[in-house]
Amino acid sequence: MSQGRIKRREYLMYLVAVREQEHRAREMNLHVRKKRLREIRAEFEAHHGSIYMEF
């Protein structure tokens, strides 16, 4: 049996929000750099702790 980890819903919603902000900025013809996934994870972890659920 595998020992996979499950990402927290809060992290997934945070990721969606970041990507939506980037998309809206591009729609407004603003030049924004797409954040790397590791940057988004680091930001989330700095404010909310691990991206993974604790069992």
Side-chain angles (χ1 to χ4, degrees):
M1 208 165 135
S2 71
Q3 296 291 326
R5 297 190 293 177
I6 300 172
K7 291 185 176 85
R8 292 172 48 191
R9 184 178 197 283
E10 295 86 358
Y11 167 69
L12 297 173
M13 297 306 294
Y14 181 79
L15 177 60
V16 168
V18 169
R19 294 296 188 223
E20 284 180 348
Q21 288 174 347
E22 292 170 347
H23 180 73
R24 285 191 196 116
R26 283 192 298 276
E27 284 182 337
M28 295 172 23
N29 294 323
L30 299 174
H31 180 69
V32 293
R33 179 184 64 83
K34 185 176 178 182
K35 288 185 179 181
R36 293 175 186 231
L37 193 53
R38 67 177 169 233
E39 292 175 299
I40 296 170
R41 285 182 182 181
E43 288 175 5
F44 182 86
E45 288 177 333
H47 293 85
H48 306 284
S50 176
I51 68 170
Y52 297 105
M53 293 177 64
E54 299 295 326
F55 291 100

